[in-house]
PDB file of all heavy atoms in Angstrom:
ATOM      1  N   GLY A1617     -47.004  30.623 -31.881  1.00 98.00           N
ATOM      2  CA  GLY A1617     -48.257  30.770 -31.141  1.00 98.00           C
ATOM      3  C   GLY A1617     -48.191  30.116 -29.775  1.00 98.00           C
ATOM      4  O   GLY A1617     -48.826  30.570 -28.824  1.00 98.00           O
ATOM      5  N   TRP A1618     -47.430  29.007 -29.685  1.00 98.00           N
ATOM      6  CA  TRP A1618     -47.199  28.296 -28.429  1.00 98.00           C
ATOM      7  C   TRP A1618     -45.722  27.924 -28.376  1.00 98.00           C
ATOM      8  O   TRP A1618     -45.108  27.632 -29.411  1.00 98.00           O
ATOM      9  CB  TRP A1618     -48.003  27.002 -28.357  1.00 98.00           C
ATOM     10  CG  TRP A1618     -49.489  27.117 -28.336  1.00 98.00           C
ATOM     11  CD1 TRP A1618     -50.306  27.208 -27.248  1.00 98.00           C
ATOM     12  CD2 TRP A1618     -50.366  27.089 -29.476  1.00 98.00           C
ATOM     13  NE1 TRP A1618     -51.623  27.247 -27.633  1.00 98.00           N
ATOM     14  CE2 TRP A1618     -51.689  27.182 -28.992  1.00 98.00           C
ATOM     15  CE3 TRP A1618     -50.160  27.005 -30.856  1.00 98.00           C
ATOM     16  CZ2 TRP A1618     -52.797  27.189 -29.834  1.00 98.00           C
ATOM     17  CZ3 TRP A1618     -51.249  27.017 -31.699  1.00 98.00           C
ATOM     18  CH2 TRP A1618     -52.559  27.109 -31.186  1.00 98.00           C
ATOM     19  N   LEU A1619     -45.154  27.884 -27.184  1.00 98.00           N
ATOM     20  CA  LEU A1619     -43.732  27.537 -27.043  1.00 98.00           C
ATOM     21  C   LEU A1619     -43.484  26.961 -25.654  1.00 98.00           C
ATOM     22  O   LEU A1619     -43.955  27.505 -24.654  1.00 98.00           O
ATOM     23  CB  LEU A1619     -42.856  28.778 -27.248  1.00 98.00           C
ATOM     24  CG  LEU A1619     -41.343  28.601 -27.095  1.00 98.00           C
ATOM     25  CD1 LEU A1619     -40.795  27.656 -28.168  1.00 98.00           C
ATOM     26  CD2 LEU A1619     -40.630  29.949 -27.162  1.00 98.00           C
ATOM     27  N   THR A1620     -42.728  25.856 -25.613  1.00 98.00           N
ATOM     28  CA  THR A1620     -42.320  25.298 -24.324  1.00 98.00           C
ATOM     29  C   THR A1620     -41.093  26.039 -23.803  1.00 98.00           C
ATOM     30  O   THR A1620     -40.176  26.352 -24.569  1.00 98.00           O
ATOM     31  CB  THR A1620     -41.970  23.805 -24.442  1.00 98.00           C
ATOM     32  OG1 THR A1620     -40.936  23.632 -25.420  1.00 98.00           O
ATOM     33  CG2 THR A1620     -43.173  22.983 -24.820  1.00 98.00           C
ATOM     34  N   PRO A1621     -41.042  26.324 -22.509  1.00 97.00           N
ATOM     35  CA  PRO A1621     -39.842  26.941 -21.937  1.00 97.00           C
ATOM     36  C   PRO A1621     -38.758  25.895 -21.696  1.00 97.00           C
ATOM     37  O   PRO A1621     -39.033  24.699 -21.607  1.00 97.00           O
ATOM     38  CB  PRO A1621     -40.349  27.508 -20.613  1.00 97.00           C
ATOM     39  CG  PRO A1621     -41.448  26.580 -20.215  1.00 97.00           C
ATOM     40  CD  PRO A1621     -42.104  26.135 -21.506  1.00 97.00           C
ATOM     41  N   VAL A1622     -37.520  26.368 -21.592  1.00 96.00           N
ATOM     42  CA  VAL A1622     -36.388  25.523 -21.191  1.00 96.00           C
ATOM     43  C   VAL A1622     -35.608  26.275 -20.127  1.00 96.00           C
ATOM     44  O   VAL A1622     -35.115  27.371 -20.395  1.00 96.00           O
ATOM     45  CB  VAL A1622     -35.466  25.206 -22.385  1.00 96.00           C
ATOM     46  CG1 VAL A1622     -34.242  24.438 -21.910  1.00 96.00           C
ATOM     47  CG2 VAL A1622     -36.196  24.416 -23.459  1.00 96.00           C
ATOM     48  N   PRO A1623     -35.538  25.718 -18.905  1.00 94.00           N
ATOM     49  CA  PRO A1623     -36.225  24.501 -18.446  1.00 94.00           C
ATOM     50  C   PRO A1623     -37.684  24.778 -18.104  1.00 94.00           C
ATOM     51  O   PRO A1623     -38.134  25.915 -18.204  1.00 94.00           O
ATOM     52  CB  PRO A1623     -35.422  24.131 -17.191  1.00 94.00           C
ATOM     53  CG  PRO A1623     -34.942  25.450 -16.659  1.00 94.00           C
ATOM     54  CD  PRO A1623     -34.659  26.307 -17.875  1.00 94.00           C
ATOM     55  N   GLY A1624     -38.394  23.714 -17.694  1.00 96.00           N
ATOM     56  CA  GLY A1624     -39.768  23.868 -17.237  1.00 96.00           C
ATOM     57  C   GLY A1624     -40.824  23.498 -18.256  1.00 96.00           C
ATOM     58  O   GLY A1624     -42.014  23.690 -17.994  1.00 96.00           O
ATOM     59  N   GLY A1625     -40.403  22.940 -19.386  1.00 97.00           N
ATOM     60  CA  GLY A1625     -41.360  22.553 -20.408  1.00 97.00           C
ATOM     61  C   GLY A1625     -41.486  21.047 -20.516  1.00 97.00           C
ATOM     62  O   GLY A1625     -42.282  20.400 -19.830  1.00 97.00           O
ATOM     63  N   VAL A1626     -40.649  20.454 -21.378  1.00 98.00           N
ATOM     64  CA  VAL A1626     -40.747  19.020 -21.660  1.00 98.00           C
ATOM     65  C   VAL A1626     -40.193  18.171 -20.519  1.00 98.00           C
ATOM     66  O   VAL A1626     -40.738  17.108 -20.208  1.00 98.00           O
ATOM     67  CB  VAL A1626     -40.023  18.697 -22.985  1.00 98.00           C
ATOM     68  CG1 VAL A1626     -39.958  17.192 -23.219  1.00 98.00           C
ATOM     69  CG2 VAL A1626     -40.737  19.382 -24.148  1.00 98.00           C
ATOM     70  N   GLY A1627     -39.125  18.622 -19.862  1.00 95.00           N
ATOM     71  CA  GLY A1627     -38.493  17.804 -18.828  1.00 95.00           C
ATOM     72  C   GLY A1627     -39.432  17.339 -17.737  1.00 95.00           C
ATOM     73  O   GLY A1627     -39.512  16.131 -17.442  1.00 95.00           O
ATOM     74  N   PRO A1628     -40.177  18.245 -17.099  1.00 97.00           N
ATOM     75  CA  PRO A1628     -41.109  17.801 -16.055  1.00 97.00           C
ATOM     76  C   PRO A1628     -42.190  16.859 -16.577  1.00 97.00           C
ATOM     77  O   PRO A1628     -42.635  15.961 -15.856  1.00 97.00           O
ATOM     78  CB  PRO A1628     -41.731  19.116 -15.560  1.00 97.00           C
ATOM     79  CG  PRO A1628     -40.737  20.172 -15.903  1.00 97.00           C
ATOM     80  CD  PRO A1628     -40.112  19.713 -17.185  1.00 97.00           C
ATOM     81  N   MET A1629     -42.595  17.041 -17.839  1.00 98.00           N
ATOM     82  CA  MET A1629     -43.629  16.167 -18.400  1.00 98.00           C
ATOM     83  C   MET A1629     -43.092  14.767 -18.663  1.00 98.00           C
ATOM     84  O   MET A1629     -43.849  13.785 -18.603  1.00 98.00           O
ATOM     85  CB  MET A1629     -44.187  16.783 -19.680  1.00 98.00           C
ATOM     86  CG  MET A1629     -45.016  18.036 -19.455  1.00 98.00           C
ATOM     87  SD  MET A1629     -46.397  17.767 -18.307  1.00 98.00           S
ATOM     88  CE  MET A1629     -47.316  16.482 -19.166  1.00 98.00           C
ATOM     89  N   THR A1630     -41.803  14.656 -18.952  1.00 97.00           N
ATOM     90  CA  THR A1630     -41.198  13.337 -19.122  1.00 97.00           C
ATOM     91  C   THR A1630     -41.299  12.545 -17.825  1.00 97.00           C
ATOM     92  O   THR A1630     -41.672  11.363 -17.823  1.00 97.00           O
ATOM     93  CB  THR A1630     -39.726  13.482 -19.550  1.00 97.00           C
ATOM     94  OG1 THR A1630     -39.668  14.128 -20.824  1.00 97.00           O
ATOM     95  CG2 THR A1630     -39.046  12.127 -19.662  1.00 97.00           C
TER      96      THR A1630
END
Side-chain angles (χ1 to χ4, degrees):
W1618 295 269
L1619 178 64
T1620 57
V1622 175
V1626 173
M1629 291 304 300
T1630 297

